[in-house]
Structure formats: structure tokens, C-alpha cells
Amino acid sequence: MSINPVKSIRQSLARRICFGFLAFVLVGFLVVLGYIFTHSRRMVLQEAYQHGEFALGHTAQRVKGYLNEVEDATHNMKWVVLSHMQPDSLLAYSRRVVEINPNVNSCSITTEPDYFPEYGRYFSAYSVRQGDSIVTVREGEYEYFEKVWYKTPRDAGQPVWVDPFDDFNEGTLSSEEVIASYCVPLYDEQDRFIGVLSTDISLPRLSRTISAMRPYPNSYSFLLGKEGHYFVHPDTTRLVKNTIFTDVDPNERPDLIALGHEMMDGHSGIMNIDVDGQIYVVFYQPLQQAGWSLALVCMEDDVLAGYNHLQYIILPLIFLGLLVLAYYCIRTVKRFVEPVNQLASQASHIADGHFDERMPLSNHNDVVGRLQNNFAAMQQSLDEHVGHLNKVNKEAEKRNLELKEASEQATEADRQKTAFLREMLHQIRTPLNIILGFLQVMRDNQLEMSQEERSHLTATMLQNANSINRMVNMLVVASHLNNQMSIELKDKVNCCELARECATFFNQLQPVSTQLVVDTQVPADLCIKTHREYLIKSLNELLLNAKKFSPDGPVTLRVKAGARKVMFQVEDRGPGIPEEAQGIIFNKFTKLDSFSDGLGLGLTLTQQCARLLNGSVYLDTSYKMGACFVMEIPLDKS
């Protein structure tokens, strides 16, 4: 009996899944393989370009290192030269630059005409490295003032790199090699130009450093100057005299013309050029400090060598991928049905209300795996929803508690406001009634009253008027301080004079019999930088408070100085502050004795003033003979 393969596949779920999965994955594998091939080609090109850029950057850093070494040596010697502008010293300094800097080929210190009258119009100290020795001479007389290495820094008024040049001068010592110079103009104390300090590097030495860069077998490097001249090139016939544009037809070689302009404009990048039918990849980068540009030229075949070998990797990769695909397909089909039973069992467990027991996630991306993961997500959502409801209930309870506390605070604030208004009216009405009564007495009995009685009534009315004025001022200050975040601390206040001024205020208060003891334990000239008005207001409030609760005295104002602060202590012999009230005495409208004068704002205003003065005020609980308030102000010794 023959077996129909198509019918067998249709009747078997596993076979249907296997063949369908293989067909789908095979297409996907080919797409991925094509992507890998394309991506690999791009990666090979990127790696090759990065290799070339790294080699160019490394060489550029070495060249910049040579240039920086020359610049540092020149600038370090410049200040010494300007401090010792004598002929013998200049000869010694030019030699010293060449001695301590192995990358320096020669150094010259050249002055303006007739700078040293005894030497005539010309003076140039010159040292040059010749083999293992250094020769130092006063150069022969020639018109060096028009040389590029002299007039360029003179005209520019700042240090410059001069493009490489032949330093041969008839009748004087010269370098045998083409050199590039770093030239620094010299100015005297009156800012007059007096000469040039020029430090030279050998172009052949620089060429050897650059030519050593060969990241690929057929690569080479070249260096262009500011005007496009070749300073380094494998073809020595092009050096110095020829530019990158010499003998180049713009119509036939537009790529080379574009490369030249890119390099001369100080740009960096990668460009392909065609040389006799061979494609070259050029990496170029500017040397900003000298205005030159460095380039690395590589054959495209060398750059793409890795890509050309890529095809030998593709065939084994395809074969290995097919083996892995077949194995993965078999394993997938074999284990495909297993999650179904697990899903059914877990779904039944969830139906019983066990939301908090998490269902494991499936690693399969098929329908069953997604279904299992969806069930797990649903279970997690239900668990999070229940948790969210519990959290909402707790937050609601917390909000209700907060609303209750806010309501109680609002009630208390309203009570305090009513009590404050009542107290303020009482405090103002009492002295006002006294003033009105005494005025009526003086009006009705003016002729019968003696001068002493009139003086007594006037003094009493003045005292009560001052009491009203103080309360009104306190309310104004309280309103002002509530909206003020900072003040300018620019008053220089003498601590001893401040204590005496506060004593004068104290002695004017009633009763005048209360004694004030001023104890200044600081130098007579000790001053602090603060806000004088606010500091005096604060100390006067503390003194007034002490006199109010210590009518029999004495009251002590003690001034001490610490390492970083000045302390003003106000001590009285009154009843003191009960321990249970020590935490609220600085609150607004707080009065420990409801029958005493005042609005309960004195200590509050003192604390706010201390904050604005970058200080603090507190109750010294160690003082047991009454009450002692300490105000600390930062000590500015400047």
C-alpha cells in the first residue's frame, strides 16, 4: 500500500508545522544571509577606512608633537631672551635651544637694525646642528630683514609657522637641509618690536617620520604647505617648488584639483582619485597650528583586500547555517506541543483566583508561546490592578488624614488670627484711652494744673504713644520680612559701639531703674559686615523682652567672639522659659503671659532678622537664672 506524502503531511500537525516553519525560516535565512553579506562588506570597508584614518591620525599626532615641542621650546626661551638682551647671552640661548631639544635643527635670535650699536646694522645669533656637534656663530651681514622667517612674524605681530625653505645665505653659516621655522616676534617693555626668535626643524627628518606611515603595502604619504606646495612626497623632484596643481589639467583630473582645494582649505576627510586608471583612496587631515595638510594615499585594491577574501567565508557560512537551521527546526517541532499543556494547567490555576502566582514566560515566538505570554501579561495586569486598588485605598486614607490635619490647622490659624486681632485691639486701645483721657484732663483743667503735673501727663502720653508706634512698626516690619528673601550685608559695624548704642536704647525704656550690664569680651576695634538696622532691631527686641520680664534687673548684654562668629547674649533674672514652652516661643503671636504687653511678635521678628543676616538666634537652655537668648552673626574679618 503506497503512502501519499502530501496527505501524510496534511494529517500530521507536527509535519505541517515542520514544513511550514522550514519554508518560512529558509526564506528568512536567505534574506538575513544577504543582509549579513552586505553588512559585512560595509564593515570591511569601514574597518579599512578606520585603519587608514587611524594611521593618518597617529602620524599627524607625531608631527603635531614635533611642532608642539618646537613651539614650547621657543616660548620657554622667549622670556629668558627678553630678560637678558645682551649679545653674549643671545648666542648662549640660541645654542641652549638646540642642545636641549633633539628635534630642533637650528635656532636664531635676530634683532632689528642697529639694536646693538657696537655691532652695526646687523646682529643675529645662530646655532645649527651639524652631525653630532652644534655650531654657534654671529651670522654674517645680509639683509635678513626681508627674509620670510623675519618679516612674516613682524608683520603679523604674533608667532607663525613659516613654510619650509632653503636657508642658504651667501657668506654666513647656513643649514644644509631644507627647514621649516617657528618664528616668534620679540617686543620690549614699551611694546616695540625688537627682533625675532626663530626655531627650525629639518624637513628631511619630518619627511622620514611621515614616510614611515605605511598601513598598506603600496601606500605613501605627502605633506602640502599653505599654498599647495609639496613638502613631503616620495617623488623628491616635486618638493618645495611644485604644487599639487602643477601640470594638472582641470578637465582631466578634477578629482585631484578638488583634493588640493579641500586640503588647502583645512578640511579633513576621505576622497577617491583616479591615477592612470588605478583608483586610490586618499585620507587627508589638516595640521591647524602650521596651516599644512597631511595625506595618506592607498590603492583601493589594498584597502578592499579584506572584502575580496570575504567570498571564501560565505560558502562555509551558508552550509553551517543550513545545518543549524535544520537542527533548530527539528527541536522546535519536537518541543512545540509541550507549552500547550503547561498553558492549560496554569490557566486553570489562574481561574481559581491565584493572581499573585506568576506564570512563567515562554521563550517561543510562535502562536502558543505568544498565547502563554499574553496569559502571563493578563495575570500580571490583574495582579497589578488589585495592587493598584489597594494602593488607591491607602492613598485615600492618607489624603483623608491630611485633609483632617489641614482642616485642624486652618481652624487653629483662624483661632490665632481672631486672638491676635483681639489682642492687638486691646494693646492699642489701652494706651490710646490713656492718651485720650489725659488730653481731656489737660483740656478741662489746664489753668488749674501745675507745670509738674502737665509734664507728668505729657510724659505719660508720650510713653503710651511710643508704645502704639512700636506696635504699628512691628506689624509693618513683620509684613515686610515675610516677603523678603535676602538683604544686602554691606554695613561695617563696630561690636563695642553697637553694644553701647543698644544700652542707650535700653536706658530710655520704662522703668528706668532697671540696670543694664554691658560686658564686651571682644577687642575694641572688632567689626562685622552686616545690616546695621536689622541687627539693632533684633538686639533691641531681645533687650526689651528681657526688661519686660525682669523689672528688678539686672539685665546683661554680653558680646563674645568665636573663630567664625560673634555672639550677643542677653541675660535676665526673670521667671525664665518653661521647658514645655521652649519649642514654641519663636512662633508668631505666642505669649506665655496673656496679661503682659506686646503682640507676641518680638522673638519671631528677631529670628527672621537673624536669618536675613545669615545668623541665628536661640534660647540657651543651660542658663538657669532666668532666660538667656543668644544671637550669632558671622564674623567677616576682611
Side-chain angles (χ1 to χ4, degrees):
M1 183 178 179
S2 61
I3 299 177
N4 188 344
V6 177
K7 185 177 180 180
S8 176
I9 293 174
R10 288 180 177 178
Q11 291 178 349
S12 173
L13 176 62
R15 291 172 184 171
R16 290 174 61 187
I17 294 173
C18 181
F19 277 95
F21 183 75
L22 276 175
F24 174 77
V25 173
L26 183 60
V27 174
F29 180 78
L30 293 176
V31 172
V32 171
L33 192 62
Y35 170 77
I36 292 175
F37 180 80
T38 305
H39 185 66
S40 298
R41 178 181 181 275
R42 187 164 55 250
M43 289 181 62
V44 170
L45 286 172
Q46 182 178 0
E47 182 179 358
Y49 286 161
Q50 288 177 350
H51 181 52
E53 289 179 330
F54 176 79
L56 178 64
H58 179 69
T59 301
Q61 287 300 322
R62 292 187 61 187
V63 174
K64 291 176 182 178
Y66 288 150
L67 301 182
N68 289 334
E69 181 179 342
V70 172
E71 291 180 4
D72 292 342
T74 307
H75 286 290
N76 291 337
M77 187 57 65
K78 171 186 175 182
W79 308 115
V80 180
V81 169
L82 290 175
S83 301
H84 303 83
M85 286 295 291
Q86 292 86 30
D88 293 340
S89 298
L90 299 186
L91 290 168
Y93 294 150
S94 68
R95 183 181 185 88
R96 184 60 177 166
V97 172
V98 181
E99 284 179 345
I100 64 177
N101 297 282
N103 291 322
V104 172
N105 184 71
S106 55
C107 176
S108 67
I109 305 175
T110 311
T111 63
E112 278 283 82
D114 301 316
Y115 186 79
F116 298 115
E118 64 271 24
Y119 289 97
R121 175 178 173 81
Y122 308 98
F123 183 86
S124 176
Y126 182 67
S127 296
V128 62
R129 193 185 305 276
Q130 293 186 350
D132 296 332
S133 61
I134 299 174
V135 179
T136 301
V137 298
R138 173 179 171 247
E139 287 193 274
E141 297 181 355
Y142 70 99
E143 286 295 319
Y144 53 76
F145 310 112
E146 297 303 320
K147 293 291 185 179
V148 65
W149 54 267
Y150 189 91
K151 68 178 182 179
T152 301
R154 179 189 62 195
D155 297 341
Q158 63 183 6
V160 294
W161 275 98
V162 176
D163 284 351
F165 59 91
D166 187 351
D167 191 41
F168 176 76
N169 296 291
E170 187 69 31
T172 186
L173 179 66
S174 302
S175 174
E176 298 177 355
E177 300 176 341
V178 176
I179 60 174
S181 298
Y182 182 67
C183 307
V184 177
L186 301 176
Y187 295 89
D188 61 11
E189 295 180 352
Q190 288 74 36
D191 202 27
R192 293 178 301 186
F193 178 76
I194 60 175
V196 171
L197 171 59
S198 176
T199 308
D200 313 318
I201 57 174
S202 169
L203 193 59
R205 179 183 179 88
L206 187 63
S207 178
R208 289 192 294 271
T209 300
I210 296 175
S211 299
M213 173 180 59
R214 297 192 64 188
Y216 297 103
N218 300 306
S219 62
Y220 65 90
S221 305
F222 65 87
L223 179 67
L224 291 185
K226 301 173 185 177
E227 303 297 330
H229 290 86
Y230 286 110
F231 296 152
V232 176
H233 196 279
D235 186 358
T236 58
T237 61
R238 300 185 181 185
L239 296 180
V240 181
K241 296 181 179 180
N242 289 351
T243 71
I244 193 172
F245 307 112
T246 301
D247 299 330
V248 176
D249 187 350
N251 296 322
E252 296 181 358
R253 301 294 306 280
D255 50 356
L256 187 59
I257 298 295
L259 175 63
H261 286 295
E262 280 284 303
M263 295 179 66
M264 290 174 60
D265 291 340
H267 298 158
S268 61
I270 304 173
M271 184 178 292
N272 293 337
I273 62 173
D274 186 349
V275 180
D276 299 330
Q278 176 66 49
I279 303 299
Y280 287 82
V281 181
V282 181
F283 305 87
Y284 54 95
Q285 177 179 333
L287 300 174
Q288 298 286 2
Q289 61 197 107
W292 305 337
S293 185
L294 181 64
L296 171 64
V297 183
C298 308
M299 291 182 61
E300 188 180 53
D301 292 342
D302 292 343
V303 173
L304 299 179
Y307 172 70
N308 294 331
H309 293 290
L310 184 63
Q311 56 184 339
Y312 299 108
I313 303 175
I314 296 301
L315 292 178
L317 183 62
I318 293 176
F319 179 73
L320 180 62
L322 290 175
L323 291 180
V324 172
L325 179 63
Y327 174 77
Y328 179 75
C329 180
I330 295 173
R331 294 280 296 177
T332 301
V333 173
K334 185 177 180 180
R335 297 169 53 186
F336 187 84
V337 182
E338 294 181 7
V340 176
N341 295 329
Q342 182 181 5
L343 176 61
S345 176
Q346 191 68 25
S348 176
H349 194 61
I350 294 174
D352 294 335
H354 301 284
F355 303 111
D356 55 339
E357 297 182 11
R358 297 297 175 87
M359 182 177 183
L361 297 175
S362 173
N363 295 326
H364 301 281
N365 197 28
D366 52 18
V367 174
V368 178
R370 292 197 299 271
L371 182 61
Q372 180 176 345
N373 292 337
N374 289 336
F375 263 90
M378 179 185 67
Q379 178 190 9
Q380 182 177 357
S381 297
L382 289 173
D383 186 27
E384 292 176 353
H385 182 66
V386 173
H388 178 68
L389 290 177
N390 293 332
K391 182 178 179 181
V392 169
N393 290 334
K394 292 181 179 179
E395 289 182 353
E397 293 177 359
K398 181 179 178 181
R399 293 290 177 84
N400 291 335
L401 182 60
E402 292 175 350
L403 290 173
K404 182 179 178 182
E405 293 177 353
S407 177
E408 293 175 353
Q409 291 176 358
T411 303
E412 177 63 19
D414 185 66
R415 185 193 66 78
Q416 288 185 354
K417 180 184 70 173
T418 303
F420 166 72
L421 291 175
R422 187 184 303 113
E423 180 67 19
M424 183 181 68
L425 292 174
H426 172 72
Q427 293 291 340
I428 294 178
R429 184 173 62 244
T430 300
L432 189 60
N433 288 337
I434 293 174
I435 294 173
L436 292 175
F438 280 9
L439 284 174
Q440 186 176 359
V441 170
M442 292 181 67
R443 183 194 63 186
D444 296 338
N445 303 296
Q446 182 175 9
L447 299 178
E448 301 175 1
M449 296 177 62
S450 64
Q451 181 63 33
E452 181 180 354
E453 290 175 334
R454 283 196 295 269
S455 299
H456 174 71
L457 292 179
T458 302
T460 303
M461 287 189 294
L462 179 61
Q463 178 183 350
N464 285 274
N466 289 334
S467 177
I468 295 175
N469 181 63
R470 178 179 171 275
M471 285 186 285
V472 172
N473 287 336
M474 186 176 293
L475 291 173
V476 173
V477 172
S479 175
H480 181 66
L481 290 178
N482 283 337
N483 299 322
Q484 194 162 4
M485 300 303 296
S486 63
I487 57 176
E488 292 187 11
L489 306 177
K490 59 181 180 180
D491 299 333
K492 189 173 183 181
V493 179
N494 183 283
C495 294
C496 295
E497 293 180 359
L498 180 67
R500 289 192 291 271
E501 185 174 344
C502 292
T504 301
F505 166 80
F506 182 88
N507 294 328
Q508 294 174 353
L509 300 174
Q510 296 293 332
V512 295
S513 59
T514 305
Q515 181 184 2
L516 174 66
V517 179
V518 179
D519 179 15
T520 54
Q521 303 176 12
V522 296
D525 60 348
L526 178 64
C527 296
I528 56 176
K529 194 172 183 180
T530 184
H531 193 287
R532 181 183 184 88
E533 179 184 354
Y534 280 15
L535 180 56
I536 290 178
K537 281 182 181 293
S538 302
L539 293 178
N540 287 344
E541 286 296 332
L542 294 179
L543 289 172
L544 181 63
N545 193 64
K547 190 165 190 174
K548 182 193 304 181
F549 291 101
S550 183
D552 298 330
V555 174
T556 302
L557 172 60
R558 185 172 285 109
V559 185
K560 298 180 179 180
R564 298 182 179 179
K565 57 189 176 183
V566 176
M567 293 164 287
F568 298 90
Q569 297 180 357
V570 178
E571 304 171 359
D572 63 49
R573 299 298 179 88
I577 308 296
E579 184 176 352
E580 62 275 9
Q582 292 176 0
I584 63 172
I585 57 175
F586 290 100
N587 294 346
K588 290 182 178 179
F589 316 128
T590 299
K591 296 177 60 177
L592 301 184
D593 184 2
S594 59
F595 296 101
S596 63
D597 295 336
L599 301 176
L601 286 174
L603 291 179
T604 302
L605 296 182
T606 301
Q607 188 182 57
Q608 291 177 343
C609 286
R611 173 183 58 81
L612 292 173
L613 298 175
N614 294 329
S616 63
V617 61
Y618 59 88
L619 175 68
D620 184 0
T621 56
S622 63
Y623 183 78
K624 302 300 183 182
M625 300 176 64
C628 176
F629 287 92
V630 182
M631 187 170 185
E632 296 182 348
I633 301 298
L635 178 59
D636 184 5
K637 297 183 178 181
S638 60

